Amino acid sequence: MDLFNHQLRLYADPSRVVVRPFHIAWSAMNGQGQRRAARMVEEVLAMSPVQASEQLAAVLKDFEARHWQTRRVFMTRYEEIAGQHGLDDVDIGDEKRQLIGAYFCHEYSYAAAALMNPSVVPHHDQSGMPEGSQRILMSLRAVGEGHISSVAFREGIITNENQLKLAPEPPFATAADAPAIDGDETPSGPITVHRHRDSTLSGTVIFPITEAQSKGLEDLRLVHFTHDDCAVEWLGTYTAYNGAKIQSELLRTRDFRAFDLVPMTGTAARNKGIALFPRKVGGDYLSIGRQDGENLYLLRSDRLDHWDDGELILTPVHPWELVQIGNCGPPIEIDEGWLLLTHGVGAMRKYSIGAALLDKNDPSKVLGRTKEPILAAADQDREGYVPNVVYTCGAMRHGDKLFMPYGIADSSVGFAFVEIKKLLERM
């Protein structure tokens, strides 16, 4: 079908690094029966002022130019360690404080392995936008060392002439500020993380924090949500993964400064890929989910954070989706109904993107669906970390078009504009 693919591509970039806490459990013992973390602190405290100054200088030579406010980060980490190790009342100079903090930090390349599965919403700041243009905010799944996924963001502008301009990334990325870990305990949800007051969204990364998230925050599906009282909130569903189990969770924010990360409950929350409708329908919160790994269901709830089993609405029918189908982000409201992007898996595990139209007042009624994909992996877009995959976690309406960022082979991100009228004609 007629689809405008923008030439811009985003790729995994190992040079994008942040400073993260390096955790050595206070109870961990070495072969001499010493607590490892306590021994490290004691070794620094035993250094002479000259030796500590020399060691800190060596660390700063290697890392200060690569990170934002490196000394402040080290001091913040020291303050966390001091509270755990009883150093609050000890007279320690700033250089030793920074050096202790450095020993409990490490550099992490958050997008070294892959960059994929974006979603997009209207930006919370539309000031100064000329007619036909809209400021956007994208979430991205960034995969780093250990195949651990985190959430990154990019801001940009789209126009009604299929133009896309992304805001430049700042030279330094920063991790969202998270609750301090107390000793050996990993926090449980819900929790709140904060973007640093001096950091842009395009330079902010949200990392796993809780035990349920320990191996990744995967596939955030953002939605611009309007409540019954017309209050606006940005919501996002994502998969928390701990290496053995998955759990659906909810991100909530009103200002993109503070982000609540809330575990979901209910039978449907044990599955991945829940996508929220952008408002209540018929007095209920609605979402689309895949309970059985194969089909799509309409879920209803009186709470945003609790989802039980739903009503079957879509099953694999066409050859390109016979293995399984799933949603590709939140339903998009148009005059004709709810436009739902779907993904289908066909022969040779090839992922493609299609669409369905749901009734506006009763979304359990399917009014139409595309017989052929609107986007499928082809030519150079087939190659990557996971070949033969195109996938999106959410598009948005812009005038009479959809703007759709999409992941390519779990390795890069592309962008497309689709005319809604022509998309509906394919159903």
Side-chain angles (χ1 to χ4, degrees):
M1 65 171 295
D2 293 326
L3 177 148
F4 178 81
N5 257 314
H6 199 280
Q7 64 182 4
L8 179 64
R9 292 286 188 271
L10 298 180
Y11 294 92
D13 183 358
S15 71
R16 299 295 294 177
V17 291
V18 297
V19 177
R20 295 204 63 203
F22 175 50
H23 295 293
I24 298 177
W26 290 111
S27 59
M29 308 290 284
N30 62 20
Q32 289 74 47
Q34 298 172 299
R35 297 185 186 276
R36 293 179 58 200
R39 180 193 59 79
M40 289 166 52
V41 172
E42 291 164 3
E43 293 278 8
V44 176
L45 294 179
M47 291 180 183
S48 68
V50 172
Q51 186 181 13
S53 179
E54 291 174 347
Q55 292 301 313
L56 179 61
V59 172
L60 293 173
K61 179 181 178 182
D62 284 341
F63 297 102
E64 189 167 27
R66 291 168 60 87
H67 298 283
W68 177 73
Q69 296 188 1
T70 310
R71 293 172 183 262
R72 183 195 66 83
V73 173
F74 289 166
M75 286 294 281
T76 299
R77 186 67 177 127
Y78 165 78
E79 290 166 3
E80 296 172 356
I81 298 302
Q84 298 165 9
H85 198 60
L87 300 177
D88 296 330
D89 298 327
V90 180
D91 184 17
I92 304 172
D94 281 352
E95 289 191 330
K96 285 191 177 182
R97 291 170 186 254
Q98 292 176 36
L99 187 58
I100 289 172
Y103 274 104
F104 288 89
C105 289
H106 72 125
E107 189 175 70
Y108 185 80
S109 180
Y110 63 89
L115 192 69
M116 55 187 178
N117 299 359
S119 70
V120 64
V121 288
H123 199 282
H124 53 285
D125 178 10
Q126 295 295 331
S127 60
M129 285 292 97
E131 184 177 354
S133 297
Q134 187 170 186
R135 190 171 285 117
I136 63 168
L137 172 62
M138 283 193 304
S139 69
L140 300 151
R141 177 178 170 186
V143 185
E145 177 186 348
H147 199 76
I148 295 176
S149 298
S150 56
V151 177
F153 299 98
R154 287 296 296 271
E155 299 157 289
I157 295 171
I158 56 174
T159 75
N160 56 11
E161 297 178 346
N162 300 335
Q163 296 172 320
L164 165 66
K165 183 175 180 59
L166 294 181
E169 287 183 301
F172 306 117
T174 57
D177 293 330
I181 294 178
D182 185 12
D184 298 341
E185 295 183 7
T186 301
S188 59
I191 58 172
T192 301
V193 300
H194 296 85
R195 174 162 63 101
H196 192 274
R197 62 182 181 275
D198 295 327
S199 178
T200 66
L201 257 178
S202 293
T204 298
V205 186
I206 299 177
F207 285 100
I209 300 163
T210 69
E211 177 59 33
Q213 305 166 354
S214 56
K215 294 300 182 181
L217 305 173
E218 301 180 356
D219 298 345
L220 178 65
R221 287 161 160 80
L222 283 175
V223 63
H224 178 264
F225 191 91
T226 303
H227 291 276
D228 287 345
D229 62 358
C230 296
V232 171
E233 188 175 13
W234 282 261
L235 305 175
T237 53
Y238 61 90
T239 301
Y241 178 56
N242 69 0
K245 295 186 298 184
I246 60 172
Q247 165 74 43
S248 286
E249 297 191 351
L250 178 67
L251 177 148
R252 310 185 69 156
T253 184
R254 293 183 182 272
D255 57 7
F256 286 91
R257 285 285 178 184
F259 304 84
D260 296 327
L261 307 180
V262 183
M264 289 181 172
T265 58
T267 55
R270 295 194 297 263
N271 303 296
K272 60 171 61 180
I274 292 176
L276 300 171
F277 281 66
R279 62 173 175 85
K280 281 184 174 180
V281 180
D284 293 323
Y285 296 108
L286 299 185
S287 67
I288 300 292
R290 195 179 64 199
Q291 298 170 201
D292 55 12
E294 179 179 291
N295 306 294
L296 277 175
Y297 293 77
L298 179 68
L299 313 178
R300 302 176 188 271
S301 180
D302 60 357
R303 289 168 42 190
L304 282 165
D305 61 353
H306 181 91
W307 299 94
D308 284 319
D309 295 344
E311 178 181 357
L312 178 65
I313 59 170
L314 285 166
T315 62
V317 173
H318 304 297
W320 60 275
E321 59 182 12
L322 281 185
V323 175
Q324 68 185 49
I325 58 173
N327 72 67
C328 269
I332 300 164
E333 188 168 11
I334 59 176
D335 293 340
E336 294 80 0
W338 295 101
L339 188 56
L340 175 67
L341 294 180
T342 65
H343 74 262
V345 182
M348 291 294 291
R349 197 175 172 264
K350 181 178 179 179
Y351 276 66
S352 304
I353 297 174
L357 183 66
L358 310 180
D359 185 85
K360 184 170 288 192
N361 296 318
D362 182 4
S364 67
K365 296 179 180 178
V366 179
L367 304 180
R369 61 194 293 184
T370 54
K371 296 180 175 63
E372 300 291 338
I374 63 174
L375 184 65
D379 302 326
Q380 72 272 15
D381 286 351
R382 294 180 57 190
E383 312 300 338
Y385 186 60
V386 180
N388 305 306
V389 171
V390 292
Y391 192 89
T392 183
C393 285
M396 60 174 275
R397 182 177 182 177
H398 180 63
D400 59 359
K401 298 174 185 176
L402 292 185
F403 171 65
M404 181 177 68
Y406 61 96
I408 302 168
D410 281 8
S411 300
S412 61
V413 173
F415 307 92
F417 291 85
V418 186
E419 291 189 32
I420 295 173
K421 179 180 178 181
K422 292 183 178 180
L423 177 56
L424 295 176
E425 289 172 352
R426 298 288 298 270
M427 295 184 181

